[in-house]
Amino acid sequence: VLESMHGTIYCLTGRHVNKNLSAFVIFLFLLIAPAAYTQTNNPKGLKKPDITTRIWLGSHVLPGYGQVYNRDYWKIPIFYAGMGTMAYQGYQMNSDYKKWQKTYLALPTSDPDREKFKIKATEYRQNRNLYYAAATAFYLASVSDAVLVYNRGKHSPAAASILSTLVPGMGQAYNGAYWKIPIIYGGLSTFYFIIDWNNRGYNRFRTALFNLIDGDPATVDEFNGTRTQEELRYYMDNYRRNRDLSALGFAVVYALNIIDANVDGHLYDWNVDDNLTFRVEPAVFNPSQNLTYNTPAFGVSCRVTF
């Protein structure tokens, strides 16, 4: 039995089914596609889909698409200039890196200048990576800007999911849950460190194993032949397995970051007012409509006030 009066719902329970939103359903939905549709009312009272995902995909395929849709035409030259300049500088650094690396590899190991070429090649490689990272940052900024501007004045779960997909923690910042950002980056950083540490161990034992199998006196075995092939292969496989498991953990934290942003986006406008209460108490009722014959009935009253 349901009765609504002045914002209060009374429920008499014999059998009451409580429908909860499952996080697993949200996870499956997120795997199929980002939360692409939120609903807004138009003047005719009809429902129309939110096109946040269309803007997101369009901006990925053609940077500037979102700015055209939002009519922020003046931003397009800025993003393209940033991406073009950084990509060109990265290309130049990559060309110089290949030249220095080629010279370094061509020099004999006894050449005293060989280490200088290696250092120089490493510097060009690092600069190349920084320029490419800057070009990627301009690209992601153009996509994020398109999504944020389109959803200005409203809160979109799709936008939160997309932002956390582009930059982990950005969706949490969009939802106002800033305290979660250090947790996300702490998890990602931890798994990244474990991946790197195990990968270095894997490469170390793999190199030693190859040198031992090769049997070339010119090759250097850091263990000086004290470990057998079986031992080297055992440690190499362990490091590789731990590296792969850590990579899986990194992916899980990254996925949870997106799911959390999506769920928080849906619950952003959830009513958490102090007037929202849920009370369960015993009650006595009289189901008979005959005023001359009153038989009491015992039950449970559930009251939700909002």
Side-chain angles (χ1 to χ4, degrees), residues 128-151:
R128 176 204 63 185
N129 294 340
L130 289 175
Y131 279 118
Y132 282 155
T136 304
F138 273 101
Y139 172 77
L140 296 178
S142 68
V143 179
S144 303
D145 173 79
V147 172
L148 288 173
V149 171
Y150 173 75
N151 290 282

Side-chain angles (χ1 to χ4, degrees), residues 12 14 45 47 59 67 70 75 96 120 133 152 161 163 178 193 196 198 201 203 207 233 236 244 260 263 272 283 293:
L12 303 182
K47 299 287 186 178
S59 296
Q67 283 69 34
N70 295 327
K75 296 180 180 179
D96 293 335
K120 199 67 176 179
R152 184 166 44 197
S161 303
L163 292 175
Y178 301 101
F193 172 79
D196 180 69
N198 282 283
N203 289 329
T207 301
R233 185 173 288 107
M236 181 187 72
D244 295 343
D260 174 78
V263 174
V272 292
Y293 181 74

Side-chain angles (χ1 to χ4, degrees), residues 1-12 281 301-305:
V1 180
L2 287 177
E3 180 184 0
S4 178
M5 182 180 297
H6 302 297
T8 303
I9 298 177
Y10 299 89
C11 176
L12 303 182
E281 55 189 11
S301 173
C302 299
R303 184 172 63 183
V304 180
T305 305

Side-chain angles (χ1 to χ4, degrees), residues 38-40 48-52 147-157 159 174 268-269:
T38 56
Q39 294 180 339
T40 56
K48 62 180 182 180
D50 184 7
I51 63 169
T52 300
V147 172
L148 288 173
V149 171
Y150 173 75
N151 290 282
R152 184 166 44 197
K154 61 179 179 179
H155 198 86
S156 170
Y174 176 76
Y268 184 81
D269 296 323

Side-chain angles (χ1 to χ4, degrees), residues 179-294:
W179 62 273
K180 296 182 180 180
I181 299 177
I183 299 176
I184 293 172
Y185 278 95
L188 293 175
S189 300
T190 299
F191 278 110
Y192 178 82
F193 172 79
I194 297 175
I195 292 171
D196 180 69
W197 188 81
N198 282 283
N199 189 59
R200 284 187 280 114
Y202 165 73
N203 289 329
R204 174 189 175 194
F205 282 94
R206 185 185 64 173
T207 301
L209 178 62
F210 286 170
N211 290 341
L212 184 61
I213 295 176
D214 183 56
D216 186 0
T219 59
V220 179
D221 180 5
E222 63 173 295
F223 301 105
N224 296 320
T226 58
R227 293 187 181 273
T228 64
Q229 293 187 22
E230 289 73 17
E231 289 177 331
L232 294 175
R233 185 173 288 107
Y234 171 80
Y235 286 111
M236 181 187 72
D237 291 340
N238 275 337
Y239 277 112
R240 179 175 55 190
R241 182 177 61 254
N242 293 335
R243 180 198 62 186
D244 295 343
L245 291 175
S246 301
L248 179 61
F250 184 93
V252 169
V253 174
Y254 184 84
L256 289 176
N257 142 74
I258 302 173
I259 296 172
D260 174 78
N262 182 269
V263 174
D264 266 2
H266 281 287
L267 300 179
Y268 184 81
D269 296 323
W270 189 265
N271 185 6
V272 292
D273 191 84
D274 293 338
N275 294 325
L276 182 65
T277 59
F278 178 75
R279 298 182 62 184
V280 180
E281 55 189 11
V284 180
F285 307 96
N286 181 14
S288 176
Q289 300 298 325
N290 188 351
L291 299 179
T292 62
Y293 181 74
N294 296 326

